[in-house]
């Protein structure tokens, strides 16, 4: 009898597991037992008619993946950060300079990642962090530009993100950046591809539900660059955008294109208030 | 020698005598299984770390034989009892004959 009751209990649990929505988990992220990471907070003002609360993608991942991110030793993304730290100290190009020649210790860059993409007055455009790194490389170091979202560039973005972890994302959407931001918002709500899906159809209307076998997040990019378990390397937000748009069966824009720069600014602004998490660990 | 190989080890700086401590190790390595093909359809030759050993003051703690199904950047976490102060020695053996070593001292206190 007791055994039967037990089995019935298990059955109920399984049934609950099957029918329950893939809601964000109730968990808090503390990095290396010292840095509190904000993974849920009130939505920024421009988003208040859509969301009450914004949620980091970390809350939509499994236990093991979440734990992996909580300790720098366990986080495989930090392997690539270490590689970038070597590059930070290594002189490159005709000027014989390294990043550290001007910026000293990379810790001095704390907070920088949180404000990108950002308006650059001299260039008269919104720039992502990778664009700014390449500006330094070509104009100050006399070195070749790194390819967008590829090894060296994404590793450096992750290193710059890593020293900003715990600080709130805070990209400016007004002033000169406003028109780019509006272009990004337009892209976010534009349906693409044979499936006619916009970013919002999944990440706004259906986050917390399943998309085939996976959990749909809000599509926040505060954790980028992300180490993905599926390809065991760091992935940039533009590459993620490209993957999503491809999945709608559309021709995509290229990483580093003006369209994706605008989209990155807009999507980053949807996460204003969440902590910078990169390099995070995701599926 | 495979490129980009770097061992990392996390061992507490000190422990109580007889205490079981947790050791974490990770080595960045491609772990090419030998099953994959390149863009031209040619098999990419196997190149993995095939053995991992941890010794404490010359006494073996763990000895792992590794196979091609183990994924990139292999990570091991295990416990060891520390009877006295001394040194942990970690050794990884590569298919190509390379040997990667790392040591960590631990004090009693």
């Amino acid at each position: 009898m007791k055994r039967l009751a037990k089995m019935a209990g298990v059955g109920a649990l399984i049934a609950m597991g099957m029918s329950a929505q893939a809601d964000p988990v109730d968990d808090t992220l503390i990095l290396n037992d010292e840095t509190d990471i904000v993974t849920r907070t009130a939505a920024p003002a421009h988003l208040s008619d859509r969301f009450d609360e914004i949620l980091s993608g970390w809350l939509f991942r499994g236990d093991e993946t979440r734990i992996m991110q909580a300790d720098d030793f366990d986080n495989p993304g930090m392997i690539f950060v270490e590689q970038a730290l070597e590059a930070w100290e290594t002189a490159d190009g005709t000027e014989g300079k390294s990043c550290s020649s001007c910026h000293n210790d990379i810790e001095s860059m704390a907070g920088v990642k949180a404000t990108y993409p950002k308006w650059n007055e001299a260039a008269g455009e919104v720039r992502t962090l990778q664009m700014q790194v390449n500006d330094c490389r070509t104009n100050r170091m006399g070195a070749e530009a790194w390819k967008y979202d590829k090894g060296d560039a994404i590793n450096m973005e992750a290193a710059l993100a890593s020293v900003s972890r715990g600080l709130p994302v805070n990209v400016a959407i007004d002033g000169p950046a406003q028109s780019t931001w509006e272009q990004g918002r337009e892209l976010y709500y534009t349906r693409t591809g044979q499936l006619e899906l916009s970013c919002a159809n999944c990440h706004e209307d259906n986050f917390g539900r399943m998309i085939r076998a996976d959990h749909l997040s809000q599509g926040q990019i505060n954790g980028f660059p992300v180490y993905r378990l599926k390809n065991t390397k760091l992935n940039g937000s533009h590459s993620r955008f490209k993957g999503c748009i491809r999945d709608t069966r559309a021709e995509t824009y290229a990483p580093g294109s003006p369209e994706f720069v605008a989209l990155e600014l807009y999507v980053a602004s949807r996460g204003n208030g969440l902590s910078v998490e990169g390099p995070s660990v995701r599926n | 020698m495979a490129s980009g190989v770097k061992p990392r080890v996390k061992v507490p700086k000190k422990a109580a005598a007889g205490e079981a401590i947790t050791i974490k190790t990770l080595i960045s390595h491609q772990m090419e299984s030998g099953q994959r093909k390149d863009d031209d359809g040619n098999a990419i030759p196997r190149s993995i770390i095939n053995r991992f050993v941890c010794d404490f003051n010359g006494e073996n703690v763990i000895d792992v034989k590794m196979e091609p199904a183990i994924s990139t950047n292999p990570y091991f976490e295990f416990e060891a009892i520390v009877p006295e102060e001394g040194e942990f020695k970690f050794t990884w053996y590569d298919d190509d004959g390379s040997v990667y070593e790392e040591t960590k001292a631990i004090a009693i206190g």
Side-chain angles (χ1 to χ4, degrees), chain B residues 35-92:
Chain B
Q35 302 291 326
R36 300 199 305 166
K37 288 178 178 164
D38 64 16
D39 292 341
D40 300 325
N42 305 313
I44 304 171
R46 169 182 144 158
S47 171
I48 68 166
I49 290 172
N50 55 47
R51 187 175 171 217
F52 166 63
V53 178
C54 171
D55 293 328
F56 181 68
N57 290 349
E59 189 186 347
N60 184 249
V61 177
I62 192 170
D63 191 337
V64 185
K65 180 167 186 277
M66 295 162 73
E67 300 288 353
I70 294 174
S71 58
T72 182
N73 306 333
Y75 171 93
F76 286 104
E77 181 176 331
F78 52 94
E79 290 190 339
I81 290 171
V82 185
E84 68 219 3
E85 68 169 27
E87 193 173 70
F88 281 100
K89 184 176 175 207
F90 306 88
T91 318
W92 293 260

Side-chain angles (χ1 to χ4, degrees), chain A residues 122-183:
Chain A
E125 62 179 4
V126 169
R127 280 187 174 172
T128 64
L129 196 49
Q130 284 186 46
M131 291 162 77
Q132 198 58 45
V133 167
N134 271 337
D135 183 271
C136 274
R137 285 185 59 79
T138 51
N139 292 332
R140 294 177 202 274
M141 294 165 66
E144 273 186 41
W146 281 329
K147 283 189 180 145
Y148 210 91
D149 269 2
K150 298 293 183 199
D152 290 326
I154 199 68
N155 293 356
M156 187 57 75
E157 187 182 340
L160 290 165
S162 72
V163 295
S164 290
R165 285 180 299 174
L167 300 170
V169 175
N170 185 23
V171 296
I173 62 172
D174 50 4
Q178 191 177 349
S179 64
T180 309
W181 180 78
E182 281 167 358
Q183 186 198 352

Side-chain angles (χ1 to χ4, degrees), chain B residues 2-17:
Chain B
S3 63
V5 180
K6 188 177 171 194
R8 297 165 178 76
V9 175
K10 194 173 180 181
V11 179
K13 289 210 165 44
K14 58 183 178 182

